Amino acid sequence: MSSTPRHALAAALGLIAIALTPAAAQQYQAGPIRIEAPWIRATPAGAQVAGGYMKLTNTGKAPDRLIGGSTAVAGKFQIHEMKMKGSIMKMRELPDGLELKPGESVELRPGSYHLMLADLKEPMKAGDKVKITLEFAKAGKIDVEYPVRSASGHDGGHGKSMH
């Protein structure tokens, strides 16, 4: 029966798709700005800063900017950029925010653009969720739920400890 292996493969692929759906489904929309796959890196006890990441896509015809945000778990919210200057990695705050050109995506990820949550009121523990209000110059404000992941960016602590 030649269709049995095909049915088994289709069933297996269906189960994989269902298993991946929650992570892929974490998407928000603020006007033309699509926010995908937000997450925060877990922190060791006593840490004062945490990094936040996501993918931003401007589906509109006009530029916009991520200009700020806030969260109850941190005293400060900043937008940062990390990049190499010669052989040294430099990090700087983007006081004017992050430009989002029409039809383009920007990845906020470790070692690049990211949110900096400073003056943490509690450690960020893998498995927790943190509400952050993002503010865009044109699209306005939107509440986004950020799952906290281990230092490697995975749920469940598969990364190395930062201690």
Side-chain angles (χ1 to χ4, degrees):
M1 194 188 237
S2 65
S3 65
T4 303
R6 257 187 268 153
H7 289 318
L9 178 60
L13 291 174
L15 289 173
I16 290 169
I18 291 168
L20 295 176
T21 299
Q26 196 169 10
Q27 182 173 302
Y28 299 83
Q29 194 81 28
I33 306 299
R34 185 171 58 235
I35 302 146
E36 298 175 88
W39 66 281
I40 293 175
R41 181 176 282 172
T43 61
Q48 289 298 300
V49 297
Y53 312 99
M54 68 193 133
K55 179 180 179 183
L56 299 172
T57 302
N58 184 348
T59 64
K61 292 182 170 45
D64 203 343
R65 295 184 89 73
L66 173 62
I67 57 171
S70 62
T71 178
V73 301
K76 293 180 187 172
F77 176 100
Q78 299 172 339
I79 303 159
H80 281 209
E81 175 186 33
M82 289 182 78
K83 66 180 178 182
M84 294 299 289
K85 292 247 186 199
S87 62
I88 300 171
M89 179 68 83
K90 297 271 190 175
M91 181 171 64
R92 69 181 181 107
E93 183 180 358
L94 300 175
D96 297 327
L98 180 60
E99 183 179 14
L100 304 169
K101 294 177 182 174
E104 293 188 10
S105 294
V106 177
E107 293 266 353
L108 284 78
R109 62 183 187 271
S112 182
Y113 295 113
H114 60 277
L115 305 180
M116 179 66 74
L117 308 179
D119 299 336
L120 293 179
K121 297 177 181 168
E122 59 192 58
M124 301 289 107
K125 296 182 201 148
D128 287 352
K129 294 185 189 308
V130 174
K131 185 178 102 174
I132 295 178
T133 301
L134 299 176
E135 184 175 358
F136 297 91
K138 295 178 182 169
K141 293 182 179 183
I142 183 170
D143 290 336
V144 176
E145 188 174 81
Y146 285 72
V148 179
R149 297 184 181 162
S150 68
S152 66
H154 295 82
D155 291 320
H158 296 294
K160 293 180 181 175
S161 173
M162 292 177 66
H163 296 280

